[in-house]
Amino acid sequence: MKELKRILVGLDVIEKSNHVLKRALSVANEHKADLFIVHAVQTPWLGVPSYFGGKDIEIDKENITKSIEKKIKLLNREFKVNCFVFVREGNPQDIILYESKLNQTDMIIIGAHSKAKGRKGFLGTTAQKVAHLSHLPVLIVKNSAKNPYKNIIAPTDFGMQSKQSILFAKEIFRNAKINVVNAFDTIYMEGPYAVVGRDLSQYNDVAKSCAKSDLKHFMQEVSVKKGKVIDGELYTKETLVTYIKEGQYDLVVIGSRGTVGLNALLGSVANYILRETSKDVLVYVP
């Protein structure tokens, strides 16, 4: 896989920026990569007309840049990573995606940016749009970065995107243990409209047995030692999020099929996990 040498960080100066910077510095240090730190400032779309005595709104980019550089200097004492700071005006997701292409970066790291009350660690609009539209892998930081990632969970449907995402995670986070999980769909039919003459429990047993066989083969392909098949019941997405929540995991890895124009190809299950889990998430884009 391509070496990780240039990483773009989408930075929110106000919200949890230290968590994002610490994680980015740690990853960059491990791979001897440079950090391109971008902060986007949104300006009001409606200015005050000059004939009312108003003045054009000016963004103090210089002071914002100095503030970010000061923060980086304190956090970077341990790592000594090369950092380049850019303050731009515009929509954060547009600026992040544009700068990632302009600077030919290999990965994007961004905070969750959630402002919803009672939704600590969940996904905000900017992070969600970047994850959906990025042409690069995106690491979304939702928690403090006290230690390197140690326990990674990778939900899988045994597809190529899932395989690539796990292989990428193994390369980026070399000291972490990776577990894979597959939630197989089960069929439950009760009441007057139940299918007569069919043993659904037997069907579910066969489906689970096939999923276990597929998981074993998949684990051999990606050289992962731990994996589990769980009963998705009628709510596969919710079951996976609950399973992830109850485990001692610090990162979730999901795969994307990439993007075509403005159409994101992140599957519904992956999108639900991305949005609802409180863990950090790595979205791998091939």
Side-chain angles (χ1 to χ4, degrees):
M1 289 190 175
K2 186 178 180 181
E3 285 188 277
L4 197 63
K5 291 300 180 185
R6 299 162 72 88
I7 300 172
L8 183 133
V9 183
L11 191 66
D12 186 329
V13 176
I14 299 173
E15 254 190 276
K16 299 182 181 179
S17 58
N18 280 9
H19 298 339
V20 180
L21 280 174
K22 284 180 180 178
R23 182 63 67 191
L25 287 166
S26 176
V27 174
N29 179 66
E30 184 175 352
H31 294 272
K32 308 302 179 186
D34 294 334
L35 286 186
F36 295 79
I37 299 158
V38 177
H39 174 64
V41 182
Q42 286 186 285
T43 54
W45 68 272
L46 183 61
V48 180
S50 58
Y51 48 80
F52 287 132
K55 296 181 180 180
D56 292 337
I57 298 174
E58 295 183 1
I59 304 299
D60 191 350
K61 295 182 183 178
E62 184 177 348
N63 275 337
I64 294 175
T65 302
K66 287 180 179 179
S67 175
I68 296 173
E69 290 175 341
K70 183 178 179 180
K71 188 186 294 285
I72 293 170
K73 186 176 180 180
L74 291 173
L75 298 175
N76 198 23
R77 288 175 178 174
E78 176 185 353
F79 304 111
K80 308 298 182 184
V81 171
N82 291 328
C83 299
F84 307 92
V85 178
F86 304 93
V87 176
R88 302 284 188 255
E89 294 181 44
N91 291 325
Q93 63 268 16
D94 294 336
I95 297 298
I96 290 168
L97 294 172
Y98 175 77
E99 291 291 340
S100 68
K101 291 182 179 180
L102 184 65
N103 291 286
Q104 299 180 329
T105 55
D106 306 308
M107 182 180 182
I108 296 172
I109 299 179
I110 188 173
H113 301 298
S114 177
K115 295 180 175 63
K117 293 182 178 179
R119 301 275 289 178
K120 182 180 179 181
F122 289 76
L123 199 65
T125 304
T126 299
Q128 188 167 4
K129 288 183 177 179
V130 170
H132 274 273
L133 298 175
S134 174
H135 64 293
L136 299 170
V138 180
L139 175 61
I140 299 173
V141 179
K142 301 186 179 187
N143 301 283
S144 61
K146 296 179 181 179
N147 300 297
Y149 294 125
K150 296 179 179 179
N151 295 298
I152 297 175
I153 182 70
T156 180
D157 59 0
F158 310 127
M160 180 57 67
Q161 292 77 28
S162 176
K163 179 179 179 180
Q164 290 176 328
S165 68
I166 293 172
L167 292 175
F168 180 78
K170 288 183 66 177
E171 181 64 27
I172 300 304
F173 308 112
R174 296 166 185 167
N175 296 320
K177 296 179 181 178
I178 298 181
N179 294 263
V180 293
V181 60
N182 171 261
F184 77 99
D185 294 325
T186 53
I187 297 178
Y188 296 97
M189 298 185 71
E190 298 179 355
Y193 301 105
V195 178
V196 178
R198 296 187 180 182
D199 189 345
L200 294 179
S201 63
Q202 184 178 16
Y203 169 85
N204 290 331
D205 289 341
V206 172
K208 186 172 184 178
S209 177
C210 291
K212 286 185 175 181
S213 177
D214 290 341
L215 178 65
K216 183 178 180 180
H217 179 69
F218 183 83
M219 289 169 60
Q220 291 174 343
E221 286 188 324
V222 296
S223 298
V224 170
K225 295 182 179 179
K226 291 187 177 182
K228 188 174 183 179
V229 170
I230 61 175
D231 186 343
E233 300 179 350
L234 296 177
Y235 308 97
T236 303
K237 295 182 288 188
E238 292 86 346
T239 301
L240 279 170
V241 169
T242 300
Y243 180 83
I244 293 168
K245 180 181 179 181
E246 293 175 350
Q248 299 297 314
Y249 306 112
D250 43 33
L251 179 65
V252 184
V253 175
I254 56 179
S256 168
R257 298 180 182 88
T259 56
V260 179
L262 297 178
N263 298 317
L265 297 178
L266 196 63
S268 61
V269 174
N271 184 49
Y272 184 85
I273 294 172
L274 169 68
R275 190 175 67 248
E276 297 297 327
T277 186
S278 60
K279 313 291 185 181
D280 290 8
V281 181
L282 172 64
V283 181
Y284 175 73
V285 181

